[in-house]
Amino acid sequence: MHTREESLYIDVGGGERLHLRRIRHATQEDGPPLLMLHGVMGNGRIFYSDSGKGLAPWLAAQGCDCFVLDLRGRGQSTPPISRASRHGQHETICADLPAAHALVRRLRPDRPAHWIAHSWGGVHMHSCLARHPEIAAGVANAVYFGSKRSVHVKNLNKLVEVDLFWNLAARALVRAVGYLPARGLRLGADNESDRSHLDSKRWAKVAPWIDADDGFDYRAGAQRVALPPTLYFAAPRDPCRGHVDDVRRFRDESGAHIGRVHLLSRALGHRHDYDHVSLLTHPDAAADHFPLALAWLLGDYAHVRENI
């Protein structure tokens, strides 16, 4: 692929520094700028690899200008998460995403930004947009892969992965270690701070979408702010981390906006029944549904249908 890459950094105070991986076309300078955000226990590498695979390199080869963010302590952001880490969702929503968006706008003032997220990253992005109307006004549209907020579905996977692991075992690990050591235990690509784990645990319950730090009501904010047109991809082999019914509930609680839920299943014309990770990492994704994401980002909403 004809792309070029560089690392950018943003100081956000307290000795914390955010890393963004910029991946763009080797010669095209004016493609749409995209800000991309990972989910919990993850980092920006869900979108790219050393071998040039992934959504970000694919979009860059089509002419896009991708800025892949590592949240505080994850990926190449420094310092890494430890028992000394005090940041949670509030910092992501009120400081880190606004800082990353400001950098993208400063480097690319010629075109509005587009936002892309995987999993819980979509919750962080929608929360930021609902809270900051001035940022929402500068975002043309968004694409989320497997993003849900609260887990309403009830099945065995939800019992094991959410009720037993995320709510009980992971919390016990955090109390023992001071943070969630997901990378060392091979539970995820990166660790979570005490507060970030607790914040996401609270929101994943069937409970109000309210900031634990200052009480801001994000659902009410989403009713007041015109959120950008958003495409919500869901996967049929995703029983609880991004079940299609919960993805739809997330769309519905995000206020009146153009929002389409699209299920990536064989029965509906796709090459595979994808899961929570493979909808971004499967080798066939580039030929299957990445073009749908690009069509949405380019404003071709009629090309992407809701299919549930």
Side-chain angles (χ1 to χ4, degrees):
M1 291 185 179
H2 301 292
T3 60
R4 52 188 167 133
E5 302 185 15
E6 63 179 315
S7 286
L8 307 172
Y9 297 92
I10 305 171
D11 290 323
V12 288
E16 301 274 358
R17 189 170 73 155
L18 303 178
H19 168 256
L20 290 96
R21 190 66 173 171
R22 187 178 190 183
I23 306 173
R24 50 184 162 161
H25 196 275
T27 58
Q28 187 172 336
E29 299 286 344
D30 60 351
L34 316 177
L35 178 60
M36 309 176 76
L37 183 63
H38 60 85
V40 297
M41 296 193 297
N43 56 49
R45 293 184 70 85
I46 188 69
F47 296 111
Y48 67 93
S49 67
D50 292 335
S51 62
K53 303 259 175 51
L55 179 61
W58 185 87
L59 288 169
Q62 316 311 310
C64 298
D65 191 355
C66 302
F67 296 81
V68 185
L69 176 62
D70 288 328
L71 289 177
R72 294 192 193 200
R74 287 82 153 188
Q76 296 181 57
S77 293
T78 56
I81 286 173
S82 69
R83 64 172 52 250
S85 300
R86 297 291 179 264
H87 50 79
Q89 289 187 160
H90 186 84
E91 286 73 22
T92 296
I93 295 164
C94 296
D96 299 354
L97 269 170
H101 177 73
L103 176 62
V104 173
R105 300 297 297 127
R106 186 163 64 250
L107 293 174
R108 292 297 313 280
D110 54 309
R111 297 186 64 165
H114 307 255
W115 283 16
I116 299 176
H118 176 237
S119 193
W120 201 255
V123 180
H124 285 149
M125 281 189 154
H126 256 13
S127 300
C128 180
L129 295 170
R131 183 161 186 148
H132 303 285
E134 72 284 359
I135 295 178
V139 177
N141 50 38
V143 176
Y144 297 160
F145 291 79
S147 293
K148 59 86 186 61
R149 186 184 70 82
S150 55
V151 182
H152 290 247
V153 296
K154 296 179 180 179
N155 53 43
L156 181 60
N157 292 84
K158 191 262 186 181
L159 174 65
V160 173
E161 296 179 34
V162 178
D163 298 338
L164 297 180
F165 170 67
W166 194 248
N167 293 345
L168 295 177
R171 199 72 211 135
L173 273 170
V174 170
R175 285 193 292 267
V177 179
Y179 64 98
L180 181 58
R183 186 177 64 243
L185 296 174
R186 297 186 178 181
L187 298 171
D190 227 313
N191 303 324
E192 289 293 319
S193 71
D194 179 355
R195 277 186 55 211
S196 64
H197 172 262
L198 182 59
D199 289 342
S200 61
K201 171 180 173 289
R202 287 168 173 158
W203 276 7
K205 293 182 177 180
V206 181
W209 188 5
I210 292 175
D211 196 296
D213 283 28
D214 62 8
F216 184 87
D217 188 330
Y218 290 99
R219 180 169 183 169
Q223 314 307 310
R224 297 188 298 267
V225 175
L227 293 183
T230 304
L231 173 60
Y232 301 81
F233 281 124
R237 292 178 55 226
D238 194 352
C240 67
R241 287 183 286 169
H243 191 283
V244 63
D245 289 344
D246 286 335
V247 171
R248 182 170 48 199
R249 289 186 183 95
F250 179 45
R251 185 271 309 272
D252 292 346
E253 76 172 340
S254 298
H257 66 296
I258 298 173
R260 242 160 254 165
V261 179
H262 189 92
L263 186 63
L264 299 169
S265 75
R266 293 183 64 188
L268 295 172
H270 290 282
R271 298 189 179 192
H272 305 279
D273 286 335
Y274 295 92
D275 63 29
H276 193 67
V277 175
S278 69
L279 84 176
L280 272 175
T281 62
H282 197 286
D284 288 340
D288 193 357
H289 53 276
F290 285 0
L292 292 179
L294 179 59
W296 187 272
L297 294 167
L298 295 178
D300 184 6
Y301 305 139
H303 187 71
V304 187
R305 71 188 189 282
E306 177 146 339
N307 63 356
I308 59 168

